[in-house]
Amino acid sequence: MKYLKQLAIILMVSVVAEVMSYFIPLSVPASVYGLVLMVILLLLKIVKLDQVEDTADFMLSIMPFFFVAPTVSLMTSFDAIKGNVIVLVLMCLVSSIVVIIVTGLAAQAIIRFRHRKEEKKNA
Amino acid sequence: MRDFIVSSSYFGIALSFVVYMFYHIVKEKFKIRSPFFNALILAAGTIIVLLLVTGIDFEVYNNSAGHVTFWLTPMTICLAIPLYRQLEKLKENFVAVMVSILAGSLAHIITLFLIAGLVKLDNMLLNSILSKSVTTAIALGITGELGGIQSVTIVGVTIAGLTGVSLGPSILKLVRVKEPVAKGLALGTASHAVGTSKAMELGEIEGAMSSLAIVVTGILTVIIVPIFVGILE
């Protein structure tokens, strides 16, 4: 029963998310409205963590399975990607490396700047 | 037999379960830790080969297997729970988290647009990988909005994960990123949950920041990508 109750809450948030995505003219997927909405509900304590966490943790632990069928649909796009496989793989590789470098350096710069400011204050 | 499979309400979904569980059990049984042994990609590859060899249409398989996409929205909503648990850490490092993830996500999109422009890549393919740094559930939502090919997105997300795991720590060392918070953010922003598994090996702070970065990157990417697509395409 516990899991069913928790699932009911998650599904209700899903419905509200769908309504939001229907009426708000932005290209934001309903799922992300739902995600933000759920964080807000938790913050406002309208939904408590123990009212959703068992089902949520279970769903997250089996998540990759849900992507099997969408990945198999790759076979219907063979023609579209045929000539571009190497380019696509290289793009993925290079752009991921860029993200690691930029994010890492930016975060480190901000943290060190903050540390220096605190040290000055303490000195 | 063929007629039965074509009319079956459970064939596709049962096949998905069996093949996915097979690789999952093999992974557990032989304690394979390598992220390159990816049950999702192996299962999908096996099913593609099976369908091609037997000549069963994808539509027949997807008729029942495709129902899983129904769960995409509820599953994405579940990502709110780990984010909520990390909220204290987000508050502590708010500026560093937001600015670095924003910088990383912008760099990601700009790099992809630049390369796509150079090699004159089709917009539909570009749209399919713009969201590839983020966790699959959110990435599929973005690709859906942009009209890209969702299966290409999943492969892109997988490559992003493997890049972070295999090259991430060496790259961070090369550019002299030493702060644990910065390392975690970099791995989570570039390589979602797969990168987070590596970040957790590096340390507790790295792991926490990385798992926080997964959802924050997802939300920021949802906001940024349509803006770039609107301006540049």
Side-chain angles (χ1 to χ4, degrees):
Chain A
M1 223 22 217
K2 181 178 75 180
Y3 282 93
L4 209 57
K5 265 190 209 160
Q6 300 196 353
L7 185 60
I9 294 176
I10 294 166
L11 289 178
M12 279 191 287
V13 175
S14 307
V15 174
V16 179
E18 263 186 331
V19 173
M20 288 171 74
S21 132
Y22 185 80
F23 284 106
I24 305 173
L26 294 172
S27 53
V28 173
S31 57
V32 175
Y33 283 123
L35 165 61
V36 175
L37 187 62
M38 185 60 108
V39 173
I40 294 171
L41 290 173
L42 287 165
L43 279 174
L44 298 177
K45 313 257 186 250
I46 297 170
V47 172
K48 294 193 185 69
L49 198 56
D50 61 9
Q51 288 176 320
V52 286
E53 67 179 343
D54 302 286
T55 298
D57 285 338
F58 171 68
M59 297 254 286
L60 292 176
S61 73
I62 58 167
M63 197 146 77
F65 167 73
F66 290 86
F67 304 131
V68 172
T71 313
V72 173
S73 73
L74 195 61
M75 66 189 286
T76 61
S77 329
F78 278 154
D79 286 332
I81 49 175
K82 219 166 27 194
N84 295 303
V85 174
I86 296 168
V87 171
L88 283 171
V89 171
L90 277 178
M91 282 174 86
C92 290
L93 201 68
V94 172
S95 59
S96 289
I97 292 172
V98 170
V99 178
I100 295 174
I101 296 173
V102 172
T103 311
L105 287 177
Q108 179 157 287
I110 295 165
I111 293 161
R112 295 206 163 152
F113 177 73
R114 208 178 63 186
H115 282 182
R116 234 174 289 149
K117 234 170 51 180
E118 277 165 13
E119 273 168 27
K120 255 188 207 160
K121 226 193 261 168
N122 295 334
Chain B
M1 185 66 190
R2 265 194 83 87
D3 292 340
F4 166 72
I5 286 175
V6 170
S7 66
S8 167
S9 311
Y10 303 102
F11 164 74
I13 188 120
L15 182 67
S16 303
F17 258 113
V18 170
V19 178
Y20 179 79
M21 286 312 291
F22 169 76
Y23 286 112
H24 193 74
I25 291 168
V26 167
K27 186 164 186 159
E28 304 258 287
K29 180 127 183 125
F30 295 99
K31 297 193 174 63
I32 304 170
R33 302 269 308 272
S34 165
F36 286 90
F37 190 95
N38 180 314
L40 164 62
I41 296 296
L42 288 170
T46 307
I47 293 171
I48 290 177
V49 171
L50 272 175
L51 295 181
L52 289 176
V53 169
T54 55
I56 297 169
D57 271 343
F58 170 75
E59 306 311 327
V60 170
Y61 162 79
N62 201 43
N63 205 2
S64 60
H67 291 308
V68 290
T69 48
F70 165 83
W71 291 99
L72 208 61
T73 296
M75 238 164 11
T76 310
I77 292 172
C78 292
L79 288 168
I81 281 77
L83 177 65
Y84 180 74
R85 291 192 187 122
Q86 304 288 349
L87 223 56
E88 277 310 305
K89 298 218 166 55
L90 174 61
K91 280 186 207 154
E92 273 169 42
N93 300 287
F94 189 76
V95 178
V97 171
M98 295 316 256
V99 174
S100 65
I101 294 180
L102 190 64
S105 306
L106 285 174
H108 180 244
I109 298 169
I110 292 168
T111 309
L112 287 176
F113 267 104
L114 278 178
I115 304 178
L118 278 176
V119 299
K120 302 207 165 40
L121 187 75
D122 186 60
N123 276 348
M124 190 170 72
L125 289 176
L126 173 62
N127 288 349
S128 311
I129 54 172
L130 284 175
S131 60
K132 73 149 216 315
S133 292
V134 310
T135 193
T136 314
I138 299 179
L140 286 182
I142 297 173
T143 299
E145 293 287 335
L146 296 178
I149 306 168
Q150 293 193 323
S151 56
V152 174
T153 306
I154 299 181
V155 176
V157 171
T158 308
I159 297 175
L162 296 177
T163 309
V165 167
S166 53
L167 303 175
S170 328
I171 294 169
L172 289 170
K173 199 179 255 175
L174 199 73
V175 295
R176 300 211 182 85
V177 172
K178 289 173 187 146
E179 296 286 340
V181 172
K183 283 190 202 166
L185 289 174
L187 288 175
T189 305
S191 312
H192 48 89
V194 181
T196 301
S197 67
K198 191 77 205 171
M200 281 170 177
E201 282 174 28
L202 298 179
E204 201 186 322
I205 303 175
E206 286 90 333
M209 294 318 289
S210 184
S211 65
L212 175 64
I214 298 173
V215 183
V216 177
T217 309
I219 295 172
L220 285 180
T221 305
V222 168
I223 301 168
I224 302 169
V225 163
I227 299 175
F228 270 80
V229 171
I231 297 172
L232 293 172
E233 279 181 8

